[in-house]
Amino acid sequence: MSRPLRVGVLCHPTVGGSGVVASECALSLAARGHRVHVFSPGVPPRLARDAGGVVLHRVRGFDYPLFDAGGDDYAAASAVLRVLADDGLDVLHAHYALPHALTAVVARDAWKNGGERAAPRVVVTLHGTDVTLVAAEPSYAPLVRHALRAADALTAVSDDLARRTRAWWGTSAPAIDTIPNFVDSAVFRPDATGDAGDRAPGPLRAVHASNFRELKRVPRLVELFARASRGTHAELLLVGDGPERARCEALARELGLADRARFVGERDDLPALLAPRDAFLLTSAEESFGLSALEAAACGLGVLATRVGGLPEVVRHGETGLLVDPDDADAFVTALRGWIADPAVPRELGRAGRARARTVYDRDAGVRRYEDLYRRLAADPDS
Ligand code: GMT
C-alpha cells in the first residue's frame, strides 16, 4: 500500500465555493488516511461541525499598526513553516490564487532555502473570480502571474476557466489541468429531509443559494421570479447572505412577494433545504463552475440558470435543466413559467441531474484526481 501523504491546504474561510471544495477535499483525504493540515484565518463552514481527522490552523495576524491590511497571510506562511519543521509536508494546495498561492510559494521557497528536508510541491486550484476579477485588476495582475508561474501544478475547476486563464495569460501560459468540483451525493440527496424523496404535488417550490454578491444578480432573480409567478402560488426560498441581501428583501416586499419569497440567511443544513424543492434558480453574470447548482442537482432539482462560464459543463440544457442567455430576461421568465405550470418538468430534469452528479461529479473520484496529482508531484521532485 502507498504511504499516506502529508498535505497542507490553504483556503478562504467564507461560505464561497472555494472554501467548500477545499474543506470537502481535506475531509475526504483525511478519511482516506492522509495527514491533512488546513490553514485559514477562520473555520471554513464545512469543517465547523466536524473537522474529522483534519488539523485546523487558524492563522491570524496580530494587531500591529504598520500592517494596515492585517497580517493573516504572514501568519499563514509562518504556520506552514512550523508544520514543515514539525511534521513535513509533501504538498501545499492553495485554493484561490490570492493570497493563498503566494503564501504557498513563499513558504515553499523559504523552506527550500533552509536546505533541510524536501520542500513541499505547490498545487494551485483556480476557482473563478481569482482570475476573472482579482487577476484582471491591474494592481494585482503581476503578483497573480508570479504566484501561478511559481506553482508546481495549476488546476482549474472547469474547462471554461482553464480557457479563460490561458486567454488572460496570453502567450506561454503554463499548463492548466481541469479538475472539476464534485459533490457528496450521499449527503446531497433527494431524501435529505428524511422523506422518500417524492415531492408532494402542488405549486412550484424554487430555491436559490449564493453569497449575494453583485455578480450573482440576485435582485434580477427576484424580479424575474415576480414576473413569472404573478398570480400563482409558486414559492421562492433564498439561502445565504451578502452585500445585496437587504436590497433583495426590500425588492421582494415591493414586488408583492412577501408571502411567497423567504430569506433564511446562511445555513449549514443546505441538503435539507434543497431536497424538498423542485427547481434551483441562478442568474449569475459569471460562474466558473456553479457548485450550488451541482449540489441542487444532486438533490434532484432541475436547474434554471444563465449560460455563462462553466455552467454549461455542469447543467446540461434540456437534460438536467435549462440555460438561457444572461441578458435574455424574457427567456428566463418563459422557462420559469413553463416550470410553474408543470412542476413535474423540473423534477424529471432533476432525476437526470442527480444521476449525472453521481457519475460525472462523484466526490471520491474528484478527490482521487487531486490525490493522483499529489502523488505524481511528490514522487518526482523535478516534474
Ligand atoms: O466568487 C465567488 O462567488 C466565490 C468563489 C469562491 O471563492 O468560492 O466562487 C467560485 O468558486 C466556486 C467553487 O469552485 C465556483 O463554484 C463558483 O462558480 C465560482 N464563482 C464564480 O466564478 C463567480
Side-chain angles (χ1 to χ4, degrees):
M1 210 185 93
S2 34
R3 75 169 174 90
L5 293 164
R6 297 157 304 169
V7 181
V9 176
L10 293 143
C11 67
H12 292 294
T14 43
V15 193
S18 62
V20 170
V21 172
S23 306
E24 294 286 349
C25 228
L27 286 166
S28 174
L29 287 164
R32 289 148 88 102
H34 299 297
R35 188 152 173 74
V36 185
H37 296 262
V38 168
F39 304 88
S40 190
V43 183
R46 298 261 167 114
L47 295 181
R49 197 181 282 177
D50 179 5
V54 172
V55 184
L56 180 65
H57 303 257
R58 285 197 65 181
V59 289
R60 301 308 297 254
F62 68 102
D63 194 9
Y64 183 52
L66 282 188
F67 299 164
D68 216 8
D72 293 353
D73 313 335
Y74 309 141
S78 295
V80 170
L81 287 170
R82 267 195 302 276
V83 170
L84 280 166
D86 293 346
D87 246 13
L89 287 171
D90 299 296
V91 172
L92 259 179
H93 190 164
H95 285 269
Y96 210 85
L98 285 191
H100 307 308
L102 196 63
T103 305
V105 164
V106 165
R108 178 201 62 193
D109 292 350
W111 185 254
K112 254 187 197 162
N113 291 337
E116 298 177 41
R117 276 199 300 257
R121 310 305 303 280
V122 170
V123 175
V124 177
T125 292
L126 301 169
H127 280 272
T129 42
D130 43 0
V131 174
T132 58
L133 291 184
V134 181
E137 166 62 40
S139 53
Y140 288 157
L143 201 57
V144 176
R145 212 176 262 269
H146 164 71
L148 301 191
R149 196 187 290 115
D152 297 297
L154 278 182
T155 75
V157 297
S158 64
D159 287 335
D160 182 74
L161 180 60
R163 222 174 4 248
R164 289 184 69 165
T165 308
R166 280 185 216 109
W168 164 76
W169 196 287
T171 48
S172 70
I176 305 170
D177 281 342
T178 300
I179 299 188
N181 291 333
F182 44 79
V183 63
D184 186 348
S185 56
V187 173
F188 286 86
R189 57 182 210 272
D191 61 350
T193 32
D195 59 27
D198 291 330
R199 295 175 175 81
L204 182 90
R205 282 146 306 174
V207 56
H208 166 80
S210 76
N211 50 17
F212 285 70
R213 287 170 64 191
E214 199 183 330
L215 56 78
K216 303 284 174 180
R217 304 197 302 182
V218 195
R220 178 182 175 88
L221 188 150
V222 170
E223 260 176 64
L224 299 182
F225 181 83
R227 258 178 73 186
S229 67
R230 198 160 295 131
T232 75
H233 296 286
E235 293 167 11
L236 175 63
L237 182 77
L238 296 110
V239 186
D241 208 345
E244 296 211 305
R245 177 176 164 192
R247 189 174 149 216
C248 291
E249 291 205 47
L251 190 62
R253 281 192 297 274
E254 240 170 69
L255 295 171
L257 287 176
D259 294 339
R260 294 193 290 111
R262 196 155 59 91
F263 293 78
V264 292
E266 270 176 17
R267 296 276 292 258
D268 67 357
D269 55 346
L270 201 50
L273 293 173
L274 292 171
R277 305 202 142 73
D278 312 301
F280 186 83
L281 311 181
L282 199 60
T283 49
S284 303
E286 75 177 58
E287 204 67 68
S288 70
F289 183 87
L291 185 63
S292 54
L294 175 63
E295 292 177 336
C299 288
L301 280 69
V303 178
L304 172 54
T306 40
R307 190 178 285 109
V308 293
L311 276 171
E313 295 167 46
V314 178
V315 181
R316 296 311 269 263
H317 180 72
E319 181 191 333
T320 69
L322 292 174
L323 295 169
V324 300
D325 287 340
D327 295 322
D328 194 343
D330 291 344
F332 193 93
V333 169
T334 303
L336 185 52
R337 277 196 186 130
W339 287 9
I340 291 172
D342 187 1
V345 173
R347 284 183 218 140
E348 191 56 40
L349 295 166
R351 268 188 279 280
R354 169 149 180 93
R356 191 158 182 272
R358 293 184 66 182
T359 47
V360 180
Y361 295 106
D362 174 63
R363 177 172 108 146
D364 286 345
V367 174
R368 224 173 300 123
R369 291 189 64 181
Y370 283 120
E371 197 180 336
D372 291 347
L373 173 63
Y374 298 165
R375 284 209 186 279
R376 273 202 309 278
L377 290 169
D380 181 3
D382 298 320
S383 61

